[in-house]
Amino acid sequence: MTKTDQSPLQQTVAIGGNDYWNDSCSVQELRYAIANGAVGATSNPTIVLGVLKKELAVWRGPLQRIIEDNPSWTEVEVAWKLIEEMALKAAAELRPVFERERGRKGRISMQTNPTFYRNAEAIVAQAMHFHGLAPNIQVKVPATRAGITAIEEVTFRGANVNATVCFTLPQSIAVAEAVERGLKRRAAAGHDTASMTPVCTIMIGRLDDWLKVVAKKDSIVLTPGHLDWAGIAVMKKAHGIWQQRGYRARLLAAAYRHHLHWSELIGGDIVQTIPYEWQLLFNQSDIAVKKRMEIPVDPEVVAELYRKFADFRRAYDEAGMTVEEFDRFGATVRTLRTFIGSYAELLACVRDFMLPDPDKP
């Protein structure tokens, strides 16, 4: 296939550096993504809820079977079994990639219960359970105070982590250092580390979202468009540090809001997890596919963000936050609330199957 025959996302992969994942566990979407060069997929409570609603005809039968086969289970147990079945179906779709790439690619990320964000032991226990479901499972652990502890332990025990609920340079460095500690402990115990593929997500669009909320609340006036660069600036700075220090975790960009979240990161040694709708738009676009990761964000943009937003300084400076402060960062709180809310809504959907509303026809 020549370059002109390739889709923009295929060109992105071919240009070197980037891998891309489907930002969903939907099998229909994943097949499109794999055909365009994707080598992974991901899920979280919001994604699982969306897939259930969008593909109810596909999942109604499996959900009813889980309920009927397990008469003593609560809605919580039923919901997590459904989450596992969705992940395993995606894992099967990715298995040929996993085998072709000898385990370096072809994984599906499964997110631990978002309500566990303060409980390292609970995170570790569920992460290791997920790890045992299939050989190509990656486990999502939040970059909260408890999550950083869990990341080290899960890595030591041999599970591949995908740090999530992460928006800032200090969070990402804490993740990288926790992974390094886990890998060193694992190597010292005589276990394999060469085959492990940990990643650290930076939810670049969610940092932008938070700073836009701050701008509105605090009546901050700034140059139009500059807030669209906040997450990109953090990602590019983190990428430079990763390359300099040789961290074995790999960065992952998530939470897409516009094409710059794809195009400005082309050519970096990163993963891009892209929602299906954005994949379609990018593949239909005329955006030139060329390496831009090493092109710095306009210093005037960074300077204005840095001057006007304390939370940008917290996100952009390596010492901007301590681990103890991660749980109180605005983007962290907003995202945890979203994930926990989606989880509660997923439980409510399952409840409607287990206890159909008798008042409705």
Side-chain angles (χ1 to χ4, degrees), residues 2-257:
T2 65
K3 183 175 180 180
T4 54
D5 294 328
Q6 294 177 322
S7 69
L9 289 176
Q10 288 172 323
Q11 293 176 45
T12 298
V13 174
I15 208 170
N18 297 69
D19 282 329
Y20 106 83
W21 293 359
N22 184 61
D23 197 37
S24 169
C25 53
S26 163
V27 169
Q28 177 185 350
E29 296 174 3
L30 180 55
R31 287 173 179 168
Y32 172 87
I34 291 172
N36 280 274
V39 291
T42 189
S43 65
N44 60 38
T46 304
I47 289 171
V48 168
L49 178 64
V51 172
L52 179 60
K53 289 181 175 180
K54 185 178 179 180
E55 302 180 1
L56 187 57
V58 174
W59 288 104
R60 183 188 301 275
L63 180 52
Q64 290 284 13
R65 173 181 49 76
I66 294 169
I67 293 167
E68 292 168 4
D69 288 352
N70 301 280
S72 65
W73 278 13
T74 67
E75 62 196 36
V76 173
E77 292 166 303
V78 171
W80 281 105
K81 183 63 174 177
L82 177 66
I83 290 169
E84 290 180 10
E85 290 204 3
M86 281 193 183
L88 289 173
K89 199 167 184 179
E93 293 290 327
L94 285 163
R95 191 64 180 267
V97 178
F98 182 75
E99 293 174 353
R100 183 191 75 213
E101 300 292 335
R102 299 182 180 181
R104 301 298 301 176
K105 303 175 185 180
R107 296 181 182 273
I108 170 74
S109 285
M110 294 184 66
Q111 185 158 325
T112 52
N113 190 328
T115 68
F116 291 167
Y117 70 94
R118 299 174 63 185
N119 188 330
E121 290 184 1
I123 293 170
V124 170
Q126 191 176 41
M128 297 314 299
H129 170 70
F130 289 165
H131 172 64
L133 293 176
N136 57 332
I137 298 291
Q138 197 112 4
V139 292
K140 281 187 168 182
V141 176
T144 57
R145 181 174 61 177
I148 298 300
T149 300
I151 286 167
E152 177 182 343
E153 184 62 24
V154 167
T155 301
F156 166 67
R157 296 190 189 188
N160 290 285
V161 299
N162 176 358
T164 186
V165 194
C166 178
F167 320 87
T168 69
L169 182 61
Q171 282 178 292
S172 66
I173 289 175
V175 168
E177 294 289 350
V179 168
E180 290 298 318
R181 291 192 299 271
L183 291 173
K184 288 175 183 176
R185 287 173 56 200
R186 185 167 175 78
H191 300 304
D192 168 67
T193 60
S195 63
M196 296 185 67
T197 59
V199 298
C200 175
T201 293
I202 297 181
M203 307 181 89
I204 50 180
R206 286 183 178 267
L207 176 61
D208 296 357
D209 293 345
W210 169 238
L211 293 181
K212 289 173 183 178
V213 170
V214 173
K216 185 174 181 179
K217 287 198 305 181
D218 296 349
S219 300
I220 298 173
V221 178
L222 70 163
T223 306
H226 280 194
L227 278 173
D228 291 329
W229 289 91
I232 296 169
V234 169
M235 187 64 156
K236 290 195 176 196
K237 186 175 182 180
H239 182 261
I241 291 172
W242 250 242
Q243 298 305 298
Q244 180 183 33
R245 297 182 184 174
Y247 288 137
R248 284 175 281 182
R250 196 175 185 201
L251 286 167
L252 182 151
Y256 284 66
R257 302 294 185 262

Side-chain angles (χ1 to χ4, degrees), residues 250-320:
R250 196 175 185 201
L251 286 167
L252 182 151
Y256 284 66
R257 302 294 185 262
H258 46 74
H259 85 76
L260 297 176
H261 288 155
W262 156 60
S263 58
E264 278 294 318
L265 306 180
I266 293 173
D269 181 18
I270 66 167
V271 178
Q272 295 184 304
T273 182
I274 307 175
Y276 175 67
E277 293 77 11
W278 284 107
Q279 293 175 47
L280 296 178
L281 287 173
F282 295 160
N283 277 339
Q284 295 166 8
S285 75
D286 60 357
I287 304 300
V289 177
K290 60 183 182 180
K291 294 184 178 182
R292 298 185 181 88
M293 175 61 93
E294 302 302 328
I295 301 173
V297 175
D298 184 341
E300 291 186 6
V301 174
V302 176
E304 183 176 27
L305 295 174
Y306 197 89
R307 184 175 69 256
K308 295 185 175 181
F309 292 92
D311 273 2
F312 180 73
R313 297 192 291 275
R314 294 184 182 102
Y316 192 71
D317 288 345
E318 182 170 349

